[in-house]
Amino acid sequence: MLVHPRFLPLADRFFSMYRQPNNGGGALVAYVHGEKVLDVWAGYADRDRRWDRDTVSLSFSTGKGVASTVTHRLAERGIVDYDAPVATYWPEFGAAGKHEITIRDVLTHRAGLHKVRGLVAGRTGLLDYESVIEALAAAAPDPRRLRGPGYHAVTYGWLVAETLARATGKPFTELVREEIAQPLGLDEFWYRVPQDQRRRIAKLFPHINPGGLDWRLTSSVLSYAGPLRGLAEAAMPDGFDELVRNPAVHDAVMPGWNGVFSARSLGRMYAAIANGGVIDGTRFLQPETVEQMGAVQTRDRDYVLGVKLGWRLGYHPPLLASRVQPTRGLGHYGVGGSGAYADPETGLALAFVTNRLGNAVTALGDLRLARLGAEAQAIMRT
């Protein structure tokens, strides 16, 4: 492990989260101006297996940030254009009035395609990439997209993946390897996990059922519950509580939620972003690209989440348990607690993965990373 003396308070806070086996396990990595200052892990990956240096975890929406970063790497080389219609690259997408929807709209959750509930048939239908892509291409957009964003909790990943695959002629998993894993020198950016690496995946627990209630009943009720309807449509497809535990998810490509990462891999990616696009003397992104990535794209109320989140270009702002929030930060948290972000203003990057699902209701995670981030922010101010 690595703990810079200045970051001992952050390490202490992290270790205090994993004192009992029922706390599960996790890992935390921090960089400042491209230098790693913290790399720690603790707890249990399973009942009889300790979390170790090589443990990785399914991290839900944390993977949206990785998919977005692939987009920016391609955009700065002119392979895709933020303001080009998605249909330019994916012609079938132009059906049902979607011909004007741009890549920028997708990255800022303004494509109007948030609905995953009922998108494809069957409790495991989401595992069929081609069926999902066909359904999204044929779907009509929600008209509320013209008034503001609506969080694409699950569909976001497929929209990004297929657009980039069409633009390059390469499978999305190959793009992730070429654009993220290889330049950063770390392999753990997986949406389809290699068979020989699956032993490293931590077991998720407990069930994600909100409040311990039946998933199917709860999602059905919420789909008729006014203000919560959008969240049920976007994040609660039938059978999803079982799907997240199905080993078959590691054979599929569902970048909106099934990414498997180490804190080390996520931390290194966001370290490059926080450091003006450079890591270990190698340029990962151009400064102007990083500037665009962190610019607020919309301040309108999100019709799925019910809040004004201030979406960036494929990321949301870091959410810290502090009165003072980063003004230029960008990243993505996942349901249950995992997440990572960069703060270019201070040069700080923080990445946290865990298998103990802390909150199955909060779409952008629980408070653990928010508290860790607040501790890190306090250290940066001293």
Side-chain angles (χ1 to χ4, degrees):
M1 297 192 193
L2 170 69
V3 182
H4 188 285
R6 184 183 178 195
F7 284 81
L8 275 169
L10 179 59
D12 287 342
R13 179 175 284 273
F14 169 78
F15 287 128
S16 72
M17 294 162 42
Y18 297 105
R19 290 175 173 165
Q20 304 295 331
N22 63 2
N23 297 141
L28 179 68
V29 168
Y31 279 80
V32 176
H33 299 305
E35 178 187 354
K36 189 189 292 186
V37 295
L38 190 72
D39 187 348
V40 294
W41 54 90
Y44 287 79
D46 206 339
R47 291 182 180 180
D48 58 354
R49 176 164 59 101
R50 296 299 297 259
W51 195 291
D52 62 28
R53 188 183 190 280
D54 293 327
T55 303
V56 294
S57 182
L58 191 154
S59 300
F60 294 93
S61 289
T62 305
K64 290 185 176 72
V66 176
S68 300
T69 305
V70 177
T71 307
H72 297 304
R73 289 262 302 176
L74 297 175
E76 72 176 18
R77 302 202 304 274
I79 297 172
V80 294
D81 185 322
Y82 299 128
D83 295 309
V86 172
T88 302
Y89 312 99
W90 176 6
E92 299 92 330
F93 183 85
K98 301 193 299 299
H99 55 282
E100 294 183 350
I101 293 174
T102 65
I103 290 177
R104 188 182 299 274
D105 291 329
V106 171
L107 293 176
T108 55
H109 301 270
R110 292 182 291 186
L113 296 169
H114 71 284
K115 296 179 183 178
V116 69
R117 186 174 173 79
L119 182 65
V120 292
R123 295 170 71 83
T124 60
L126 296 179
L127 295 172
D128 187 340
Y129 181 90
E130 294 302 329
S131 294
V132 172
I133 293 306
E134 290 176 8
L136 287 170
D142 191 301
R144 288 176 291 178
R145 78 174 202 86
L146 299 174
R147 302 196 299 271
Y151 182 47
H152 290 40
V154 180
T155 58
Y156 179 90
W158 288 302
L159 294 172
V160 171
E162 185 64 10
T163 302
L164 301 185
R166 294 296 188 100
T168 61
K170 297 180 179 180
F172 181 69
T173 52
E174 184 176 336
L175 291 173
V176 174
R177 184 172 62 253
E178 292 180 355
E179 299 296 333
I180 307 294
Q182 290 178 353
L184 294 175
L186 290 172
D187 292 332
E188 298 96 5
F189 293 96
W190 292 315
Y191 296 97
R192 181 180 287 128
V193 184
Q195 284 286 347
D196 63 350
Q197 300 296 325
R198 296 187 186 187
R199 58 180 173 75
R200 298 170 56 186
I201 303 173
K203 183 178 180 180
L204 297 175
F205 76 101
H207 292 287
I208 64 172
N209 304 56
L213 301 175
D214 178 78
W215 177 272
R216 188 171 189 175
L217 175 62
T218 304
S219 60
S220 178
V221 169
L222 291 181
S223 68
Y224 294 99
L228 297 176
R229 182 181 303 163
L231 189 58
E233 292 174 340
M236 301 185 73
D238 189 27
F240 193 67
D241 57 327
E242 299 172 1
L243 189 64
V244 300
R245 299 175 180 281
N246 188 334
V249 303
H250 302 309
D251 295 315
V253 178
M254 299 178 281
W257 73 272
N258 84 328
V260 172
F261 313 105
S262 64
R264 197 169 296 110
S265 62
L266 291 169
R268 189 166 173 82
M269 186 189 82
Y270 280 103
I273 296 170
N275 195 42
V278 175
I279 189 75
D280 290 342
T282 300
R283 181 154 297 284
F284 180 66
L285 289 162
Q286 295 298 323
E288 56 269 26
T289 302
V290 173
E291 192 70 27
Q292 289 187 76
M293 290 161 62
V296 177
Q297 301 293 307
T298 173
R299 299 186 186 277
D300 296 318
R301 178 178 176 274
D302 188 294
Y303 65 78
V304 169
L305 299 177
V307 297
K308 296 179 179 180
L309 196 58
W311 286 107
R312 276 62 166 155
L313 208 53
Y315 316 86
H316 60 75
L319 308 173
L320 308 185
S322 169
R323 288 184 178 181
V324 180
Q325 300 292 316
T327 58
R328 294 176 53 206
L330 67 152
H332 220 295
Y333 296 5
V335 64
S338 295
Y341 68 86
D343 182 4
E345 189 169 7
T346 62
L348 173 70
L350 204 65
F352 169 65
V353 299
T354 184
N355 62 338
R356 177 61 165 87
L357 304 181
N359 191 330
V361 179
T362 307
L364 297 178
D366 64 5
L367 291 177
R368 284 172 292 176
L369 181 53
R371 290 168 178 153
L372 292 167
E375 184 73 54
Q377 183 186 53
I379 292 171
M380 296 299 295
R381 290 200 302 265
T382 60

